[in-house]
Amino acid sequence: MVAEPDDPVMIVVGGGAIALGTAQELCALQGHRVVVLWRRDPDLARAVESIGAVFITAARPDSAEGLDRAGVHHAVTILALSPDDHLNLHAALLARDINPRIRIVLRQFNRTLAHKIEQNLPNCSVLSLAWHSAATFGAAAIDPSCFRGLQFPEPDGPLTGFATRIAEDCGVDGDTVEHAERVLGARLIAIDGASDFSHDAVLAGGAELVVYGEIAALQDTAPIRSVAQAKPEIGSRLWSLLRQRPHRPPRLNPILARLAWVTLTVLLTGTWYFHAVFGGAWLDAVYFVVATMTTTGYGDLTPDRSKPVEIVVAMLLMLSGITLTGLFIAFGASLLTRVHWVTMQGLRPVRRRGHIVICGAGSIGSAVIDLLLAHGRRLVVVELNPDATIVERAREQHFDLLTGDASRDTTLDLCNLAAAHSLIALTNVDTLNLEIALGARARNPTMPIVLRIAEASFAESIARHFEFETTFSAAALAAPAFVGLGRFAGSRGRVSFGGQEFAIGEIGSEDLPRALPPDAIPIAVSRADKFAIAHDLQDLGPDGRALLLVPISPFREGKDTLAAAAERFLQRS
């Protein structure tokens, strides 16, 4: 099936959760057709058709034949969102060769390469999934009430986020909105779900506030949920000692026990025999047996060479001594090597306090580590198979690296969770992340826990049934950003509160002459690398950047279209 040229076509290349989620988001908007191009997959085909998109199969999605069947000649945008960076780039460049006016949106793992592609390829936006989602995971770990994080301005701006507050808990009840913003150091976006309010409005004590600002400022008013951090230092150490479970005595290694038993048996048997032979003191017999077994030679006591039995027994003692000594040395060396390896890998009890535990150091985990280290946080990283890079970084950047399975009780017990600020489960397996979270909750019920769950519906179910409030799907975080980038070069994703959905957009001062949507809400500006909250764009200045919120409901209801909005909002010529 080939897309008709009547409506603008948007092509999504990919077959994973991100591609499907992006296609679903696009289908919810108006004014274009959505085509998903991927390899033959009946289940994916049914899922694509169920959301109202067209599924086109191709043995090679990055081939001219496949792109032609998807309608690339009439397409306005191609979104290459497969997990294969090479395939994404090849498909996008080939589409540009066929249709020079097509807009390109790429998913790329390497953030540095992504930025360079954007700088050198016109009408192109590139998003690193790891870095895009890492901002939310990192921000939520610092402030558990944060439900969306981002760096503004991209790509190396400060970590910012949207969070919730209760006016009374923050000490701003009875204050005006203007005064509350100065106290909180954040932009007040909504009061009890309403985004339309006067700056002179007085806040009630129970008012629920949605605020936006730098995480560094937000954390000062973040809800304190960890009992371990609320206790004084000495008291908390005493508390941790009192609540420790009694430890069982260490179990002796069975191989070592058998070796010791055999050695003792040989020693006692030889001593008994030579005590009878020499007819002297027991100490002389023990001395002779030890000298024989350790092959240190004879001098004062020697067996009678005229008696073969004594010679044979002495020889047996020598052989058994050499054998047992060699086994002891080999076993001891093995134990010392293992202890040394374990110590080098960091499997040791953590003594930090107020630290953040990160379970999983993959692509997203590494990005979260970078963000939190830049934020000055103390980290404990747990990774089952750390590569040389993460080991070297642990030494250079002074964070604790534990090599082990974070779902095991013994590993979690090493992390000092009773004194931890929060924990982030970022492995690639959803059920493993859930197991880690449940194990961590058993050790510290008040500690904030951030979960990465791949499938959005599964993430919602886990959050609902297990009461993990900060559970995020990387695909769900990225899909709205890819949708916006399909037409708007500065799209940063989406945020929801008070029953409303808002697109997040970043623009530069060069975009100000264009007409912006009348309902756009400025929330922050950046001038000369200085972040500031904002209510308007009058003082943006040259080379400045601004962050806006735009309601999505007009696009969903058909009152506006992406094509029309693109001429007015955030699309660079």
Side-chain angles (χ1 to χ4, degrees), residues 9 11 67 71-78 91-104 123:
V9 175
I11 301 174
L67 292 170
V72 68
H73 294 280
H74 310 289
V76 293
T77 306
I78 180 171
L93 296 179
L94 187 57
R96 177 63 62 83
D97 289 334
I98 299 173
N99 181 355
R101 300 186 61 185
I102 196 169
R103 173 164 175 74
I104 293 174
N123 197 20

PDB file of all heavy atoms in Angstrom, residues 9 11 67 71-78 91-104 123:
ATOM      1  N   VAL A   9       2.680  13.633   4.289  1.00  0.00           N
ATOM      2  CA  VAL A   9       3.026  12.321   4.846  1.00  0.00           C
ATOM      3  C   VAL A   9       4.184  12.491   5.815  1.00  0.00           C
ATOM      4  O   VAL A   9       5.148  13.210   5.545  1.00  0.00           O
ATOM      5  CB  VAL A   9       3.418  11.331   3.724  1.00  0.00           C
ATOM      6  CG1 VAL A   9       3.883  10.004   4.316  1.00  0.00           C
ATOM      7  CG2 VAL A   9       2.246  11.118   2.780  1.00  0.00           C
ATOM      8  N   ILE A  11       6.843   9.935   7.726  1.00  0.00           N
ATOM      9  CA  ILE A  11       7.323   8.556   7.705  1.00  0.00           C
ATOM     10  C   ILE A  11       8.085   8.277   8.989  1.00  0.00           C
ATOM     11  O   ILE A  11       9.006   9.017   9.355  1.00  0.00           O
ATOM     12  CB  ILE A  11       8.241   8.307   6.493  1.00  0.00           C
ATOM     13  CG1 ILE A  11       7.488   8.601   5.193  1.00  0.00           C
ATOM     14  CG2 ILE A  11       8.755   6.875   6.495  1.00  0.00           C
ATOM     15  CD1 ILE A  11       8.366   8.525   3.957  1.00  0.00           C
ATOM     16  N   LEU A  67      11.664   3.294   0.912  1.00  0.00           N
ATOM     17  CA  LEU A  67      11.268   4.685   1.106  1.00  0.00           C
ATOM     18  C   LEU A  67      10.292   5.142   0.038  1.00  0.00           C
ATOM     19  O   LEU A  67       9.351   5.907   0.312  1.00  0.00           O
ATOM     20  CB  LEU A  67      12.513   5.576   1.108  1.00  0.00           C
ATOM     21  CG  LEU A  67      13.452   5.411   2.304  1.00  0.00           C
ATOM     22  CD1 LEU A  67      14.761   6.164   2.074  1.00  0.00           C
ATOM     23  CD2 LEU A  67      12.782   5.904   3.587  1.00  0.00           C
ATOM     24  N   GLY A  71       6.185   6.530   0.370  1.00  0.00           N
ATOM     25  CA  GLY A  71       5.742   7.849  -0.080  1.00  0.00           C
ATOM     26  C   GLY A  71       6.706   8.962   0.240  1.00  0.00           C
ATOM     27  O   GLY A  71       6.289  10.086   0.550  1.00  0.00           O
ATOM     28  N   VAL A  72       8.007   8.697   0.159  1.00  0.00           N
ATOM     29  CA  VAL A  72       8.990   9.697   0.534  1.00  0.00           C
ATOM     30  C   VAL A  72       8.943  10.918  -0.375  1.00  0.00           C
ATOM     31  O   VAL A  72       9.292  12.040   0.056  1.00  0.00           O
ATOM     32  CB  VAL A  72      10.404   9.056   0.531  1.00  0.00           C
ATOM     33  CG1 VAL A  72      10.841   8.703  -0.888  1.00  0.00           C
ATOM     34  CG2 VAL A  72      11.417   9.980   1.194  1.00  0.00           C
ATOM     35  N   HIS A  73       8.499  10.763  -1.613  1.00  0.00           N
ATOM     36  CA  HIS A  73       8.441  11.904  -2.536  1.00  0.00           C
ATOM     37  C   HIS A  73       7.473  12.976  -2.043  1.00  0.00           C
ATOM     38  O   HIS A  73       7.646  14.160  -2.347  1.00  0.00           O
ATOM     39  CB  HIS A  73       8.018  11.430  -3.929  1.00  0.00           C
ATOM     40  CG  HIS A  73       9.028  10.542  -4.587  1.00  0.00           C
ATOM     41  ND1 HIS A  73      10.150  11.025  -5.225  1.00  0.00           N
ATOM     42  CD2 HIS A  73       9.098   9.180  -4.694  1.00  0.00           C
ATOM     43  CE1 HIS A  73      10.864  10.026  -5.705  1.00  0.00           C
ATOM     44  NE2 HIS A  73      10.243   8.884  -5.407  1.00  0.00           N
ATOM     45  N   HIS A  74       6.435  12.569  -1.313  1.00  0.00           N
ATOM     46  CA  HIS A  74       5.421  13.512  -0.843  1.00  0.00           C
ATOM     47  C   HIS A  74       5.524  13.763   0.659  1.00  0.00           C
ATOM     48  O   HIS A  74       4.666  14.451   1.217  1.00  0.00           O
ATOM     49  CB  HIS A  74       4.021  12.985  -1.161  1.00  0.00           C
ATOM     50  CG  HIS A  74       3.863  12.542  -2.587  1.00  0.00           C
ATOM     51  ND1 HIS A  74       3.830  13.420  -3.639  1.00  0.00           N
ATOM     52  CD2 HIS A  74       3.757  11.298  -3.122  1.00  0.00           C
ATOM     53  CE1 HIS A  74       3.697  12.745  -4.774  1.00  0.00           C
ATOM     54  NE2 HIS A  74       3.650  11.458  -4.495  1.00  0.00           N
ATOM     55  N   ALA A  75       6.529  13.221   1.300  1.00  0.00           N
ATOM     56  CA  ALA A  75       6.632  13.325   2.755  1.00  0.00           C
ATOM     57  C   ALA A  75       7.204  14.670   3.179  1.00  0.00           C
ATOM     58  O   ALA A  75       8.051  15.247   2.491  1.00  0.00           O
ATOM     59  CB  ALA A  75       7.504  12.196   3.307  1.00  0.00           C
ATOM     60  N   VAL A  76       6.711  15.160   4.306  1.00  0.00           N
ATOM     61  CA  VAL A  76       7.246  16.400   4.864  1.00  0.00           C
ATOM     62  C   VAL A  76       8.321  16.111   5.911  1.00  0.00           C
ATOM     63  O   VAL A  76       9.199  16.943   6.166  1.00  0.00           O
ATOM     64  CB  VAL A  76       6.126  17.252   5.491  1.00  0.00           C
ATOM     65  CG1 VAL A  76       5.180  17.759   4.425  1.00  0.00           C
ATOM     66  CG2 VAL A  76       5.375  16.472   6.558  1.00  0.00           C
ATOM     67  N   THR A  77       8.261  14.921   6.504  1.00  0.00           N
ATOM     68  CA  THR A  77       9.205  14.573   7.574  1.00  0.00           C
ATOM     69  C   THR A  77       9.479  13.080   7.546  1.00  0.00           C
ATOM     70  O   THR A  77       8.585  12.278   7.284  1.00  0.00           O
ATOM     71  CB  THR A  77       8.634  14.940   8.963  1.00  0.00           C
ATOM     72  OG1 THR A  77       8.262  16.310   8.977  1.00  0.00           O
ATOM     73  CG2 THR A  77       9.656  14.684  10.052  1.00  0.00           C
ATOM     74  N   ILE A  78      10.711  12.722   7.836  1.00  0.00           N
ATOM     75  CA  ILE A  78      11.059  11.335   8.104  1.00  0.00           C
ATOM     76  C   ILE A  78      11.656  11.261   9.500  1.00  0.00           C
ATOM     77  O   ILE A  78      12.545  12.038   9.846  1.00  0.00           O
ATOM     78  CB  ILE A  78      12.029  10.756   7.058  1.00  0.00           C
ATOM     79  CG1 ILE A  78      12.356   9.292   7.397  1.00  0.00           C
ATOM     80  CG2 ILE A  78      13.299  11.585   6.932  1.00  0.00           C
ATOM     81  CD1 ILE A  78      13.126   8.566   6.300  1.00  0.00           C
ATOM     82  N   ALA A  91      19.021   5.857   6.246  1.00  0.00           N
ATOM     83  CA  ALA A  91      17.658   6.074   5.752  1.00  0.00           C
ATOM     84  C   ALA A  91      17.355   7.561   5.613  1.00  0.00           C
ATOM     85  O   ALA A  91      16.743   7.999   4.625  1.00  0.00           O
ATOM     86  CB  ALA A  91      16.654   5.413   6.688  1.00  0.00           C
ATOM     87  N   ALA A  92      17.810   8.358   6.573  1.00  0.00           N
ATOM     88  CA  ALA A  92      17.532   9.794   6.529  1.00  0.00           C
ATOM     89  C   ALA A  92      18.249  10.472   5.368  1.00  0.00           C
ATOM     90  O   ALA A  92      17.666  11.294   4.645  1.00  0.00           O
ATOM     91  CB  ALA A  92      17.939  10.427   7.853  1.00  0.00           C
ATOM     92  N   LEU A  93      19.516  10.148   5.174  1.00  0.00           N
ATOM     93  CA  LEU A  93      20.265  10.766   4.082  1.00  0.00           C
ATOM     94  C   LEU A  93      19.737  10.335   2.722  1.00  0.00           C
ATOM     95  O   LEU A  93      19.695  11.138   1.779  1.00  0.00           O
ATOM     96  CB  LEU A  93      21.744  10.413   4.217  1.00  0.00           C
ATOM     97  CG  LEU A  93      22.456  10.951   5.469  1.00  0.00           C
ATOM     98  CD1 LEU A  93      23.909  10.499   5.489  1.00  0.00           C
ATOM     99  CD2 LEU A  93      22.363  12.470   5.533  1.00  0.00           C
ATOM    100  N   LEU A  94      19.327   9.077   2.615  1.00  0.00           N
ATOM    101  CA  LEU A  94      18.755   8.606   1.361  1.00  0.00           C
ATOM    102  C   LEU A  94      17.431   9.312   1.080  1.00  0.00           C
ATOM    103  O   LEU A  94      17.138   9.684  -0.066  1.00  0.00           O
ATOM    104  CB  LEU A  94      18.557   7.090   1.418  1.00  0.00           C
ATOM    105  CG  LEU A  94      18.120   6.406   0.122  1.00  0.00           C
ATOM    106  CD1 LEU A  94      19.108   6.688  -1.010  1.00  0.00           C
ATOM    107  CD2 LEU A  94      17.979   4.891   0.339  1.00  0.00           C
ATOM    108  N   ALA A  95      16.633   9.522   2.124  1.00  0.00           N
ATOM    109  CA  ALA A  95      15.375  10.252   1.951  1.00  0.00           C
ATOM    110  C   ALA A  95      15.637  11.690   1.512  1.00  0.00           C
ATOM    111  O   ALA A  95      14.906  12.233   0.673  1.00  0.00           O
ATOM    112  CB  ALA A  95      14.587  10.228   3.258  1.00  0.00           C
ATOM    113  N   ARG A  96      16.675  12.312   2.056  1.00  0.00           N
ATOM    114  CA  ARG A  96      17.019  13.675   1.650  1.00  0.00           C
ATOM    115  C   ARG A  96      17.475  13.709   0.196  1.00  0.00           C
ATOM    116  O   ARG A  96      17.204  14.685  -0.526  1.00  0.00           O
ATOM    117  CB  ARG A  96      18.099  14.219   2.589  1.00  0.00           C
ATOM    118  CG  ARG A  96      18.614  15.607   2.264  1.00  0.00           C
ATOM    119  CD  ARG A  96      17.539  16.703   2.366  1.00  0.00           C
ATOM    120  NE  ARG A  96      16.981  16.858   3.672  1.00  0.00           N
ATOM    121  CZ  ARG A  96      17.515  17.576   4.656  1.00  0.00           C
ATOM    122  NH1 ARG A  96      18.667  18.193   4.456  1.00  0.00           N
ATOM    123  NH2 ARG A  96      16.897  17.700   5.811  1.00  0.00           N
ATOM    124  N   ASP A  97      18.181  12.659  -0.258  1.00  0.00           N
ATOM    125  CA  ASP A  97      18.577  12.586  -1.667  1.00  0.00           C
ATOM    126  C   ASP A  97      17.342  12.537  -2.573  1.00  0.00           C
ATOM    127  O   ASP A  97      17.316  13.167  -3.637  1.00  0.00           O
ATOM    128  CB  ASP A  97      19.442  11.343  -1.925  1.00  0.00           C
ATOM    129  CG  ASP A  97      20.832  11.476  -1.307  1.00  0.00           C
ATOM    130  OD1 ASP A  97      21.279  12.625  -1.137  1.00  0.00           O
ATOM    131  OD2 ASP A  97      21.446  10.436  -1.002  1.00  0.00           O
ATOM    132  N   ILE A  98      16.348  11.779  -2.166  1.00  0.00           N
ATOM    133  CA  ILE A  98      15.130  11.631  -2.983  1.00  0.00           C
ATOM    134  C   ILE A  98      14.254  12.867  -2.883  1.00  0.00           C
ATOM    135  O   ILE A  98      13.684  13.313  -3.875  1.00  0.00           O
ATOM    136  CB  ILE A  98      14.352  10.373  -2.534  1.00  0.00           C
ATOM    137  CG1 ILE A  98      15.214   9.118  -2.718  1.00  0.00           C
ATOM    138  CG2 ILE A  98      13.058  10.235  -3.312  1.00  0.00           C
ATOM    139  CD1 ILE A  98      14.589   7.864  -2.133  1.00  0.00           C
ATOM    140  N   ASN A  99      14.135  13.420  -1.692  1.00  0.00           N
ATOM    141  CA  ASN A  99      13.265  14.575  -1.452  1.00  0.00           C
ATOM    142  C   ASN A  99      14.066  15.634  -0.691  1.00  0.00           C
ATOM    143  O   ASN A  99      14.138  15.605   0.534  1.00  0.00           O
ATOM    144  CB  ASN A  99      12.034  14.142  -0.655  1.00  0.00           C
ATOM    145  CG  ASN A  99      11.068  15.295  -0.390  1.00  0.00           C
ATOM    146  OD1 ASN A  99      11.341  16.459  -0.713  1.00  0.00           O
ATOM    147  ND2 ASN A  99       9.928  14.977   0.206  1.00  0.00           N
ATOM    148  N   PRO A 100      14.700  16.580  -1.384  1.00  0.00           N
ATOM    149  CA  PRO A 100      15.576  17.566  -0.732  1.00  0.00           C
ATOM    150  C   PRO A 100      14.868  18.445   0.302  1.00  0.00           C
ATOM    151  O   PRO A 100      15.538  19.041   1.145  1.00  0.00           O
ATOM    152  CB  PRO A 100      16.091  18.414  -1.908  1.00  0.00           C
ATOM    153  CG  PRO A 100      15.937  17.540  -3.111  1.00  0.00           C
ATOM    154  CD  PRO A 100      14.706  16.726  -2.852  1.00  0.00           C
ATOM    155  N   ARG A 101      13.535  18.529   0.252  1.00  0.00           N
ATOM    156  CA  ARG A 101      12.827  19.411   1.177  1.00  0.00           C
ATOM    157  C   ARG A 101      12.349  18.690   2.432  1.00  0.00           C
ATOM    158  O   ARG A 101      11.772  19.315   3.323  1.00  0.00           O
ATOM    159  CB  ARG A 101      11.616  20.023   0.471  1.00  0.00           C
ATOM    160  CG  ARG A 101      11.980  20.860  -0.760  1.00  0.00           C
ATOM    161  CD  ARG A 101      10.766  21.551  -1.321  1.00  0.00           C
ATOM    162  NE  ARG A 101      10.166  22.458  -0.358  1.00  0.00           N
ATOM    163  CZ  ARG A 101       9.034  23.122  -0.562  1.00  0.00           C
ATOM    164  NH1 ARG A 101       8.386  22.978  -1.714  1.00  0.00           N
ATOM    165  NH2 ARG A 101       8.554  23.920   0.362  1.00  0.00           N
ATOM    166  N   ILE A 102      12.584  17.405   2.519  1.00  0.00           N
ATOM    167  CA  ILE A 102      12.062  16.641   3.651  1.00  0.00           C
ATOM    168  C   ILE A 102      12.811  17.013   4.930  1.00  0.00           C
ATOM    169  O   ILE A 102      14.015  17.261   4.924  1.00  0.00           O
ATOM    170  CB  ILE A 102      12.177  15.119   3.371  1.00  0.00           C
ATOM    171  CG1 ILE A 102      11.304  14.334   4.344  1.00  0.00           C
ATOM    172  CG2 ILE A 102      13.623  14.645   3.468  1.00  0.00           C
ATOM    173  CD1 ILE A 102      11.159  12.865   3.982  1.00  0.00           C
ATOM    174  N   ARG A 103      12.063  17.085   6.014  1.00  0.00           N
ATOM    175  CA  ARG A 103      12.676  17.341   7.324  1.00  0.00           C
ATOM    176  C   ARG A 103      13.119  16.010   7.927  1.00  0.00           C
ATOM    177  O   ARG A 103      12.430  14.994   7.803  1.00  0.00           O
ATOM    178  CB  ARG A 103      11.687  18.051   8.249  1.00  0.00           C
ATOM    179  CG  ARG A 103      12.211  18.193   9.667  1.00  0.00           C
ATOM    180  CD  ARG A 103      11.441  19.214  10.484  1.00  0.00           C
ATOM    181  NE  ARG A 103      11.901  19.224  11.857  1.00  0.00           N
ATOM    182  CZ  ARG A 103      13.052  19.752  12.278  1.00  0.00           C
ATOM    183  NH1 ARG A 103      13.863  20.341  11.410  1.00  0.00           N
ATOM    184  NH2 ARG A 103      13.394  19.713  13.548  1.00  0.00           N
ATOM    185  N   ILE A 104      14.271  16.044   8.614  1.00  0.00           N
ATOM    186  CA  ILE A 104      14.856  14.817   9.172  1.00  0.00           C
ATOM    187  C   ILE A 104      14.850  14.893  10.696  1.00  0.00           C
ATOM    188  O   ILE A 104      15.257  15.898  11.286  1.00  0.00           O
ATOM    189  CB  ILE A 104      16.300  14.621   8.666  1.00  0.00           C
ATOM    190  CG1 ILE A 104      16.303  14.349   7.161  1.00  0.00           C
ATOM    191  CG2 ILE A 104      16.991  13.485   9.414  1.00  0.00           C
ATOM    192  CD1 ILE A 104      17.698  14.292   6.563  1.00  0.00           C
ATOM    193  N   ASN A 123      17.830  21.620   8.355  1.00  0.00           N
ATOM    194  CA  ASN A 123      16.473  21.130   8.588  1.00  0.00           C
ATOM    195  C   ASN A 123      16.492  19.734   9.193  1.00  0.00           C
ATOM    196  O   ASN A 123      15.791  18.825   8.742  1.00  0.00           O
ATOM    197  CB  ASN A 123      15.670  21.137   7.281  1.00  0.00           C
ATOM    198  CG  ASN A 123      14.176  21.048   7.529  1.00  0.00           C
ATOM    199  OD1 ASN A 123      13.690  21.348   8.623  1.00  0.00           O
ATOM    200  ND2 ASN A 123      13.436  20.626   6.510  1.00  0.00           N
TER     201      ASN A 123
END
